[in-house]
Amino acid sequence: MDRFLDTFFNAEVLARYAPSILDGALVTVVLSVLIVLSGIGLGTLLACLRAYRIRPISFLIVIYADILRALPPLVVILVAYFGLPNVGVVLSASVVLYLVLTLVLAAFAEEIVWAGITSTPQGQWEAARSTGLGFTQALVWVVLPQAVRMVIPPLTNRAIAITKMTALGLVIGVPDILGNASTAQSFSANASPLTLAAIAYVILFLPFVIGSRWLEARFARPGA
Amino acid sequence: MARSPETTPTLEVRALHKAFGSEPVLRGIDLSVARSEMVFVLGPSGSGKSTMLRCCNRLEEPTSGEIFIEGDRLTGPGVNLNAMRQRVGMVFQSFNLYPHLTAMGNVTLALRRVQKKSRAEAEAIAAEALDKVGLSDRARHHPGQLSGGQQQRVAIARALALKPTVMLFDEPTSALDPELVGDVLAVMRDVKAAGMTMLVVSHEMGFAREAADRVIFMDGGRIVEQGPPDQVLGAPTHDRTRAFLRRFHA
Amino acid sequence: MDAILQQFFNWGVMAQALPLLLKGLGMTLLICAVVIPLGALGGLLAALASTAQARALRWSAIAFVDLFRALPPLVLLIFIYAGLPFAGLRLSPFAAVTIAFFLNNSAYFAEIFRAGLLSVPKGQAEAALSTGLTPAQTLIWVRLPQATRNVLPDLLSNVVEIVKLTSLASVVSLGEMLHAADLVRSVTYNASPLILAAGLYLLLLWPLVRLIGRFERRIAG
Ligand SMILES: Nc1ncnc2c1ncn2[C@@H]1O[C@H](COP(=O)(O)OP(=O)(O)OP(=O)(O)O)[C@@H](O)[C@H]1O
Ligand SMILES: [Mg+2]
């Protein structure tokens, strides 16, 4: 038991590295917030563009969404981080992580919001158009609000899953929770920093996981 | 086209044809509705009643033919469709209220986003419209909190608030429980009394007899017979009309 | 333009990397072959526990699921692979990967099966029980088939997620496909092996992604 405590909850190590993990937590939080905002924003925008049913544009959007949903994010991160500098584009690790995860979340969000748009009843479009709203107005004021409401649970789940991937920043040296914890672990030759990291992630994400459970119950599909 | 306003029909449909693919649904409809007239449209299922109505708002694009609102062209290229649509109110069988907005929000949406009225101005107009349909006290309710009859009255208020020239009703009461039909018909009666021009598809024969100025019988995409309600409903001249009516009296 | 081709689509480098990548792909598939059935089974058990009558059982199942949905899989993997040795428990990369992904995926499978089980009307189980089926038979022959059908797109998309997840094993130097690709990249200073790996992932997963879309449309429509 003593050995267990000493390995995973070593008070001295915990105290020494807590500040660094707290710094990492800030990076994780900022990255997560930015990724969620821009990823869902971009995805919604693409879903709206697709609603105009302009063939070449829809085609490109579908290809984009398919590819980024099929590729492991870590592959994209490595390509961007190690490949781009050789063609003259030098981005910091944090920026690469932000961009890649934003693009990945946008791909999923596009598909999810699009599913919401297509399952909004045709009568809603007709009612809106019959009162003189243009296509864009009907989309923005009538269809999109309903579509987004319908897809809040899957969107939340996907946003959580993808913001958790900020931990992948470890591989390219982003100083987030896991990155700092991993450094601390090798300096201290003790597992406590990793325990601290795990706890930090649970504190950050568990409320959202529980929240998503609540959302799912609230938005439960009728008829089940 | 130098016609005086008194003789210009409020709604005029000329040689309207509509086909879905190779399937002709409307085969030449000519119809003119005078100001403040209520025209009732009857006909068997699939005869093209809804399609005709939807063409009058261009929710369906006519294959050929022309439609005019107070002499202004609705069909053809170069028409400001969204502006014209505000002159043609539409009431749907399934209400089609926006579930995410309150009754007030449903009525004010087009006022604010199309007519660019201020919120206060739009709400004043909407309050008046909701009052006309007897739902002032339900303005802050969402559609899910209203009965079917109340929802349809909000939908009527939504169309009414835009002060349309003509209103189209596509089976406004057929999705309602029988005990709620009366409220909606009463509102339609009031709307007519206020001088609205109305084109109504409905199977409410009693209401047709009492309130319609003219009844049209459609079959196979054509107008087969028309005239005053007593004549068309009481002494129809065509076999198909008779056959259709017999099923209702049976 | 030339630089881009040279850097990302260098056929020579790709040809050199291909044998190693295919070997890595074998490992990727091996991880999947172990983790997918185990995760599905664990998830099913957790789902049954989370819909059980006994309150303690229900809540511990939900706590398990939520904990592992909150914890990034890479954190779990590093903890198991790099943390446990300090306590004297040294696992091979493969064992560490399997355990970490099993825990992570059981949680996701559990949520999906749970939704599926809840989507089957109560009357179905009642009808089965009324004809004399035992609760276990009712589960196997009546509830599970319907539950699985109702959440088939979600199950498939979780499988896609697992295949993508295997790329994390490269972090603990398990020689799966991404690890192989990154190895070649680091000696050639060229990103083409990564692009090749991306291409192979697409080859593997794109059909599945399309298939899921097809299923989802059919269920919505
Ligand atoms: N969007 C469409 N595509 C193809 N065919 C259509 C479409 N809309 C209507 N139709 C066809 O056109 C015909 C007339 O339909 P319409 O809805 O106008 O009939 P209706 O007189 O309103 O019938 P009901 O009393 O059942 O409402 C029907 O045969 C219908 O199947
Ligand atoms: Mg109809």
Side-chain angles (χ1 to χ4, degrees), chain B residues 18-27 220:
Chain B
K18 172 70 185 176
F20 289 107
S22 60
E23 174 82 10
V25 171
L26 298 179
R27 309 157 185 255

Side-chain angles (χ1 to χ4, degrees), chain B residues 20 25 43-52 60 171 203:
Chain B
F20 289 107
V25 171
S45 183
S47 56
K49 308 179 297 290
S50 295
T51 306
M52 178 185 76
E60 299 293 354
E171 308 203 25
H203 297 302

Side-chain angles (χ1 to χ4, degrees), chain C residues 1-157:
Chain C
M1 190 63 211
D2 244 22
I4 291 179
L5 283 180
Q6 182 64 27
Q7 177 60 27
F8 292 102
F9 298 95
N10 189 318
W11 304 120
V13 175
M14 283 192 185
Q16 221 180 316
L18 188 62
L20 208 57
L21 257 67
L22 288 179
K23 214 171 133 227
L25 180 61
M27 177 56 81
T28 296
L29 295 176
L30 180 64
I31 301 172
C32 291
V34 174
V35 170
I36 292 171
L38 280 182
L41 190 66
L44 182 58
L45 293 178
L48 288 173
S50 77
T51 53
Q53 294 290 324
R55 180 180 290 242
L57 187 59
R58 205 165 62 222
W59 284 107
S60 32
I62 290 178
F64 166 83
V65 168
D66 282 2
L67 177 67
F68 288 107
R69 284 208 304 161
L71 211 51
L74 186 57
V75 176
L76 197 56
L77 176 58
I78 303 264
F79 189 87
I80 291 172
Y81 183 71
L84 291 186
F86 290 107
L89 188 60
R90 188 168 299 280
L91 294 167
S92 73
F94 187 81
V97 162
T98 310
I99 294 171
F101 292 178
F102 164 73
L103 290 173
N104 176 261
N105 272 292
S106 297
Y108 280 95
F109 270 123
E111 267 311 276
I112 297 169
F113 278 123
R114 181 183 147 84
L117 286 169
L118 291 176
S119 75
V120 180
K122 258 203 166 62
Q124 291 293 317
E126 286 169 359
L129 291 170
S130 79
T131 58
L133 268 67
T134 65
Q137 287 172 322
T138 302
L139 177 70
I140 293 171
W141 300 110
V142 178
R143 290 171 65 206
L144 266 186
Q146 299 185 55
T148 309
R149 177 149 2 129
N150 290 350
V151 292
L152 196 56
D154 293 335
L155 288 171
L156 278 178
S157 87

Side-chain angles (χ1 to χ4, degrees), chain A residues 71-152:
Chain A
L71 279 182
L74 189 53
V75 177
V76 188
I77 290 170
L78 292 182
V79 169
Y81 188 69
F82 292 114
L84 290 182
N86 291 342
V87 293
V89 184
V90 181
L91 300 170
S92 79
S94 304
V95 172
V96 166
L97 188 62
Y98 161 74
L99 285 178
V100 170
L101 292 185
T102 292
L103 292 177
V104 171
L105 179 54
F108 280 99
E110 185 278 322
E111 281 300 311
I112 293 172
V113 174
W114 174 246
I117 289 177
T118 52
S119 53
T120 303
Q122 190 62 23
Q124 292 293 316
W125 286 101
E126 293 183 349
R129 299 305 303 274
S130 80
T131 57
L133 268 70
F135 182 89
T136 307
Q137 286 175 318
L139 179 63
V140 170
W141 299 109
V142 175
V143 175
L144 197 58
Q146 297 179 50
V148 167
R149 224 160 278 225
M150 231 182 302
V151 299
I152 281 177

Side-chain angles (χ1 to χ4, degrees), chain C residues 173-189:
Chain C
S173 305
L174 182 59
E176 49 65 73
M177 186 158 67
L178 184 58
H179 187 254
D182 201 45
L183 209 64
V184 184
R185 175 203 61 81
S186 63
V187 296
T188 57
Y189 295 101

Side-chain angles (χ1 to χ4, degrees), chain B residues 107-130:
Chain B
V107 181
T108 51
L109 185 67
L111 292 167
R112 294 184 62 194
R113 304 299 163 198
V114 185
Q115 297 189 353
K116 311 285 181 201
K117 291 198 178 350
S118 73
R119 187 194 185 101
E121 207 181 341
E123 293 200 340
I125 296 170
E128 195 187 323
L130 284 170

